[in-house]
Amino acid sequence: MERARLEHARPLARRPLVTLLTAAALAASGLTALTSAARAADADLARNGGFESALDGWTCTAGTTVTSPVHSGATALKATPAGADNARCAQTVSVKPDSQYTLSGYVQGTYVYLGASGTGTTDVSTWAQSAPDWQQLTTTFRTGPSTTKVTIYTHGWYGTGAYHADDISLTGPGGETGQPPAAPGGLKTGSVTSSAVALSWSPVPGATGYAVYRDGTRVSTVTGTSTTVSGLTPSTAYSFQVTAVNDGGESARSATVTATTAQRPDDGGGSSGLPAHALVGYLHASFANGSGYTRMADVPDSWDVIDLAFGEPTSVTSGDIRFERCPVAECPNVESDAEFKAAIKAKQAAGKKVLISIGGQNGQVQLTSTAARDKFVSSVSAIIDEYGLDGLDIDFEGHSLSLNADDTDFKNPKTPVIVNLVSAVKTLKAKYGDDFVLTMAPETFFVQLGYQYYGTGKWGGQDPRAGAYLPVIHALRDDLTLLHVQDYNSGSIMGLDNQYHSMGGADFHIAMTDMLLTGFPVAGDANNVFPPLRPDQVAIGMPASTQAGNGHVSSAEVNKALNCLTRKTDCGSYATHGTWPDLRGLMTWSINWDRYSNWEFQKNFDAYFG
């Protein structure tokens, strides 16, 4: 990150290389005004310069389209720079050699740039240091004697606020673009799950890319001849088409293929018999801390999922997980193993699920090898079998998960600790069958932070743990019963409104949960979107009391968050992207701390969903 800042030091007092040129300045510089005939022959060569077709034609590191503010039409570009990203949006245009061009556009924001590169002469740019309202930027250039393509772009500045751009045009003589390619043939479906359909087709000569359409709407562009369309609804019929693209344009659409997604796992979204709204809590089974020890038999019936905290490894990379009951010296009222196991069976008979939670604050787990992966499977299986448990909760924190520098695609991870974890969990799921309950409790740093940063980043230097849970969640989404991100002990996180949200009220829970239920571009890449989870797969993680963790909110704030997400009321300033009455429920750290606080968290849940 620091290297990027040094290479692109912010201009302050220094004037930009190219400034807005008046007609007089053009004349003084020796540039001849275009004749009327020449102007008549010129065309606007920028594709989708008004962003009316989303980001079609543009490649953006961090951009989206918005309906307000706009300079004209219905939509405009909004892009948000980050600490190591200037939110560049660009497209390559065919031009004629040795020809004059004018680049123009309207911008809003602080430090907004408009420019052209690859001109063959002098690359140009112009910028606005402060544009509180729409401001036009214009610059000109002449192509070199052999230049046939030029890249036009707009960007902001590192770490500053979002900027807007609209009505970008490049006027001048059009280059030789050739003919659009032929329509692709051989489109067929591959594997079909409850939320995704794999597609493949035959290559088209002369195509530089392919556009994929779902039910008539363009959903992605790819360079290869296969893709997987995800984020689909179970038990739903979809139609798909593909077009081929090159500089000459887009082909006609292929023949249509159809596919019906599979029924969701367990016919209940992998819920394995959970109620429509569930209360999840962690039980300090291997330690007491200041909250005291709570016996399994004393956990009230309100708790639908009980996570035993914690199974921990014998060493960070061993994969050998052990679960030790709290010793009598620390927990004088601890029950015997026989009583503990009997109480688990009684909970299960009442419809409750009891899981072993692996990790926690002190349990760093790194499955760096296949041997560690296999040991993880065998040791976790031994715990599940000994205590007759219903499944597994993954609570990897700290440095358990991080991404190698070359691991940039959450849909196709390469880092061993990620790949081996996914493989281990799939093996456990296959061993225990459809009734196996799988939950995860990542921190916001490993999930929602992925909207801004993923791994070490384009420039390097970012924390490799940023967004590192995303490939695990995505690979296991069809096996996942519940994701309950820890909305506590968290720094400020940017939401889908491109504003930072902090702990302490309903707003944080609303924004963080909306991201999971809406999906989001990873590291701002509009072509690399983390698909939404089903609402029945999502619970909100909160501390049970002020002693339990930073970020505790009152029952009134809990209810505001639930009202907004399930009823579209009490939403405050954050505008959600939907309403989800099937939101599964709440998770808390912990049952012990809630008991310490006279069951305030549990009582409020019972009253709200009762």
Side-chain angles (χ1 to χ4, degrees), residues 177-337:
T177 59
Q179 297 296 316
L187 178 62
K188 60 183 179 180
T189 60
S191 62
V192 178
T193 69
S194 62
S195 61
V197 173
L199 301 172
S200 63
W201 54 91
S202 301
V204 176
T208 57
Y210 301 89
V212 181
Y213 289 81
R214 183 192 68 208
D215 294 336
T217 299
R218 187 170 179 168
V219 293
S220 66
T221 56
V222 297
T223 56
T225 56
S226 65
T227 191
T228 297
V229 181
S230 56
L232 307 180
T233 302
S235 304
T236 303
Y238 292 94
S239 64
F240 301 95
Q241 295 170 294
V242 179
T243 62
V245 179
N246 65 12
D247 288 342
E250 185 174 0
S251 74
R253 297 186 187 183
S254 69
T256 300
V257 297
T258 60
T260 299
T261 49
Q263 194 175 54
R264 61 179 52 170
D266 301 325
D267 197 26
S271 64
S272 298
L274 291 179
H277 301 293
L279 181 61
V280 182
Y282 287 79
L283 184 68
H284 307 181
S286 57
F287 59 94
N289 74 19
S291 63
Y293 183 80
T294 300
R295 294 163 64 101
M296 175 65 71
D298 295 334
V299 176
D301 288 341
S302 296
W303 300 90
D304 300 296
V305 179
I306 302 168
D307 293 320
L308 304 180
F310 288 104
E312 299 181 358
T314 56
S315 69
V316 172
T317 60
S318 70
D320 188 5
I321 307 300
R322 304 296 176 88
F323 172 59
E324 304 291 342
R325 306 269 331 283
C326 190
V328 175
E330 184 179 351
C331 304
N333 61 324
V334 64
E335 67 268 63
S336 68
D337 279 355

Side-chain angles (χ1 to χ4, degrees), residues 41 215 294 377 391 396-397 423 479 504 507 512 539:
D215 294 336
T294 300
V377 171
F396 286 15
E397 300 180 14
S423 175
D479 302 308
D507 171 83
M512 296 302 99

Side-chain angles (χ1 to χ4, degrees), residues 526-590:
N527 295 315
N528 192 31
V529 175
F530 178 77
L533 293 165
R534 302 188 313 269
D536 65 273
Q537 290 180 298
V538 176
I540 311 173
M542 304 178 173
S545 66
T546 54
Q547 299 94 332
N550 294 323
H552 174 261
V553 296
S554 67
S555 295
E557 292 299 303
V558 173
N559 293 347
K560 284 182 182 179
L562 292 172
N563 285 342
C564 178
L565 293 164
T566 65
R567 305 172 185 176
K568 203 76 168 181
T569 61
D570 285 340
C571 288
S573 61
Y574 184 89
T576 60
H577 293 76
T579 307
W580 302 278
D582 293 332
L583 180 73
R584 182 62 71 180
L586 301 178
M587 174 275 280
T588 194
W589 177 265
S590 63

Side-chain angles (χ1 to χ4, degrees), residues 1-9 83-84 158 456-461:
M1 183 183 300
E2 292 303 317
R3 181 183 66 188
R5 291 183 182 276
L6 288 172
E7 291 173 352
H8 303 281
Y158 305 95
T456 57
K458 179 179 178 181
W459 300 100

